[in-house]
Amino acid sequence: MASMITPVRSPIRTNQISSLYLSPNRISPSNVALKSRSLSSSSLAFSPLPEKLRVPALSKGFSGWSQHLRRRGTVVLPVVKAASDGAEIEITEGSKSFLEKFPFLITGFFFFMWYFLNVIFNILNKKVYNYFPYPYFVSVIHLLVGVVYCLVSWSVGLPKRAPIDREQLALLTPVAFCHALGHVMSNVSFAAVAVSFTHTIKALEPFFNASASQFVLGHHIPLSLWLSLAPVVIGVSMASLTELSFNWLGFGSAMISNIAFTYRSIYSKKAMTGMDSTNVYAYISIIALLVCIPPALIIEGPKLMQYGFRDAIAKVGIYKFVSDLFWIGMFYHLYNQLATNTLERVAPLTHAVGNVLKRVFVIGFSIVVFGNRISTQTGIGTAIAIAGVAIYSLIKANLEEQKKKAAAISTS
C-alpha cells in the first residue's frame, strides 16, 4: 500500500519557523476525525481546520506519538498530538513556562532589585564616608568599577559593544560631563550631611527640570505641573530650616547636583545616537570617569597620599577598606542599570511612581540604619516634598501618555 504524506500548514512566518510538518506514516483505509482548536496566541496561531476533515487512519502498529513544533527564542508554540487507531488528532497549545504566564513577577523582581541595590548603595556609601571622607576619590571609584564591569561585559559579548564615531562622541560628551558633575556633587553632599537630608533636597530635581524646559528649551509647562511643584519647594524649605545635620556645603552641593542632572536630561534628549541604553550608559561612564579623575587628584590627592589612605586602613583594615570601595562601585553601577531596565519594561506612569517610592525607601532606611534624629518639622517637610514629587510625577506621566496617544492617532 502506498505511503502518503499529509502536511499541516500554518500562517507562522518563515523567519520564525523554517518548516512545519507531520512525519509520514502508513495509512489504512479507515478514517479518523481531525479536530482543530483555536489558539490564544495572537501572533502565532494555526488557521482553523475544517470541523470534520477525513484522512486515512494510522496503522495499528503505531501506538501513538507527539511532535513538538520548533521554537525560536522564547516563543512557545503549539504541540501536535496524534493517537492510535481511529483516535482523534488534536492541535493543542504548548505549555507556557511559569514566568511567561505571569510576567508581572519579572517586573516586580526588577523593581525589588532596583530598590534593594539603591538602599544598600546609599547605606554602604555613607558608612564609608564615616571613616574615609573623600567624596571626589570615592566618586572616581564608583565610576571606575562600573567601567571595568562594562569592559568585561563587552569582552564576552554581553552586550555586544556598539561602535562609536566622532559625531556620537561629541553628542555624548556634554551628557557625560553633566553626569560626572552631578555624581560628584551628590557624593559631596552625602559626605557632609545625613543621607535622608540629601535625598530630600534632591526631591527638588523636578522643579529644576520644569524650569529648564520652560525657560531654556522654550517648552510650555502646564499650570497643573507648576502647582504640583509648590509642595515640593515648601516641603524642602521646611525640612532644611530645622535639619539637625544642616550645613551649607551639603545643601549647596545637592542643589548643584540637581542643576547638573537637569542639564544632563536636556543634553540626553539631543544626543539620540541610536545605540541601546546599555551601551550609551557604558560610554557615558567612561567619559565621566575621565572627567572626574583630574579634580580628584588636584583637590584630594595630596591629602590622600599624606594621611587619607593610612588613616582609613588603620581604622578598618586594608581588606575591608578595599572591599567596601569595590562593592559601593558595583552597587552604584548595577542600580543605575536596573533603573534603566525597569523603565524599559513598564509605562512612564508606573516608573514615575516607582521612583518616588524608591526615594521614600532610601530616606526611611537611612534614618533607621544610622539612627539619625530628625525634628518634627523636618519629618513633616520631607513628607510634603515627597507627596509633591508624587503628584508631579503622576501628572507628567499622564501628559506624556496623552501626547503618545495623540501622535498615534494623527499618524494612523
Side-chain angles (χ1 to χ4, degrees):
M1 186 176 295
S3 298
M4 296 178 60
I5 298 178
T6 306
V8 176
R9 301 184 182 275
S10 76
I12 300 177
R13 292 172 293 184
T14 57
N15 63 342
Q16 292 183 333
I17 297 180
S18 59
S19 63
L20 178 63
Y21 56 90
L22 296 178
S23 298
N25 294 280
R26 295 190 178 277
I27 307 301
S28 66
S30 60
N31 294 327
V32 295
L34 184 63
K35 283 188 177 181
S36 68
R37 187 174 67 182
S38 61
L39 302 177
S40 60
S41 172
S42 59
S43 60
L44 294 172
F46 285 101
S47 297
L49 296 174
E51 185 63 25
K52 293 291 182 179
L53 177 61
R54 296 288 177 177
V55 298
L58 302 174
S59 63
K60 293 184 179 180
F62 185 70
S63 60
W65 54 269
S66 67
Q67 179 179 5
H68 290 272
L69 305 181
R70 297 185 190 178
R71 297 193 196 189
R72 182 161 185 148
T74 58
V75 179
V76 178
L77 300 176
V79 175
V80 179
K81 293 184 178 179
S84 63
D85 295 341
E88 293 181 341
I89 299 176
E90 186 175 5
I91 301 175
T92 61
E93 184 181 6
S95 59
K96 292 183 178 180
S97 68
F98 180 78
L99 294 179
E100 287 171 329
K101 290 181 179 179
F102 304 100
F104 65 89
L105 293 177
I106 302 178
T107 303
F109 175 76
F110 272 85
F111 270 102
F112 170 78
M113 292 304 299
W114 177 24
Y115 287 12
F116 175 76
L117 293 173
N118 194 283
V119 169
I120 296 300
F121 163 75
N122 280 276
I123 292 174
L124 184 57
N125 201 46
K126 183 62 177 179
K127 286 185 175 181
V128 169
Y129 286 136
N130 287 339
Y131 68 84
F132 188 68
Y134 298 95
Y136 288 87
F137 177 79
V138 173
S139 298
V140 170
I141 295 298
H142 291 165
L143 294 170
L144 177 61
V145 173
V147 167
V148 172
Y149 178 90
C150 292
L151 294 177
V152 173
S153 299
W154 277 343
S155 66
V156 297
L158 295 171
K160 184 178 180 181
R161 187 183 72 85
I164 186 171
D165 54 30
R166 290 185 178 181
E167 182 179 355
Q168 292 172 328
L169 183 62
L171 290 173
L172 290 178
T173 298
V175 180
F177 177 82
C178 294
H179 178 73
L181 178 61
H183 178 56
V184 170
M185 289 296 102
S186 294
N187 279 285
V188 171
S189 182
F190 285 138
V193 296
V195 173
S196 57
F197 182 54
T198 298
H199 278 280
T200 302
I201 300 172
K202 287 175 72 63
L204 279 173
E205 191 173 328
F207 174 80
F208 287 96
N209 284 333
S211 300
S213 297
Q214 178 85 48
F215 303 111
V216 177
L217 299 178
H219 297 165
H220 174 68
I221 302 299
L223 179 62
S224 58
L225 275 181
W226 285 115
L227 292 177
S228 68
L229 289 171
V232 181
V233 177
I234 295 172
V236 172
S237 300
M238 289 177 59
S240 300
L241 290 174
T242 56
E243 170 60 36
L244 300 178
S245 68
F246 178 89
N247 63 56
W248 284 107
L249 176 62
F251 179 83
S253 56
M255 294 294 283
I256 295 174
S257 172
N258 284 334
I259 297 173
F261 285 138
T262 296
Y263 276 92
R264 182 187 65 179
S265 299
I266 293 175
Y267 286 120
S268 295
K269 294 176 181 178
K270 297 179 180 180
M272 305 302 289
T273 62
M275 278 189 278
D276 62 279
S277 59
T278 303
N279 275 289
V280 169
Y281 185 68
Y283 282 119
I284 288 175
S285 298
I286 293 172
I287 301 171
L289 174 62
L290 298 177
V291 173
C292 289
I293 290 176
L297 293 176
I298 295 172
I299 297 173
E300 295 178 345
K303 296 178 182 178
L304 289 171
M305 298 305 296
Q306 291 176 10
Y307 51 82
F309 292 125
R310 182 191 62 203
D311 291 349
I313 293 173
K315 290 177 181 177
V316 298
I318 187 170
Y319 176 79
K320 179 173 175 54
F321 176 55
V322 174
S323 63
D324 282 353
L325 291 178
F326 169 78
W327 283 115
I328 58 176
M330 183 61 70
F331 287 137
Y332 171 77
H333 180 82
L334 290 178
Y335 98 73
N336 277 286
Q337 190 62 62
L338 260 295
T340 303
N341 295 339
T342 305
L343 178 60
E344 293 175 344
R345 295 187 62 87
V346 299
L349 178 61
T350 305
H351 193 269
V353 174
N355 201 33
V356 174
L357 293 177
K358 178 211 71 176
R359 200 173 294 280
V360 173
F361 269 82
V362 172
I363 291 174
F365 274 98
S366 65
I367 292 174
V368 172
V369 171
F370 295 107
N372 297 333
R373 295 179 57 191
I374 61 173
S375 65
T376 303
Q377 182 174 326
T378 298
I380 295 174
T382 301
I384 292 174
I386 295 299
V389 173
I391 296 171
Y392 170 85
S393 300
L394 292 173
I395 295 175
K396 185 177 181 182
N398 278 322
L399 291 174
E400 290 178 354
E401 288 293 328
Q402 291 175 7
K403 289 181 180 179
K404 288 182 180 179
K405 290 179 180 179
I409 293 173
S410 62
T411 55
S412 61

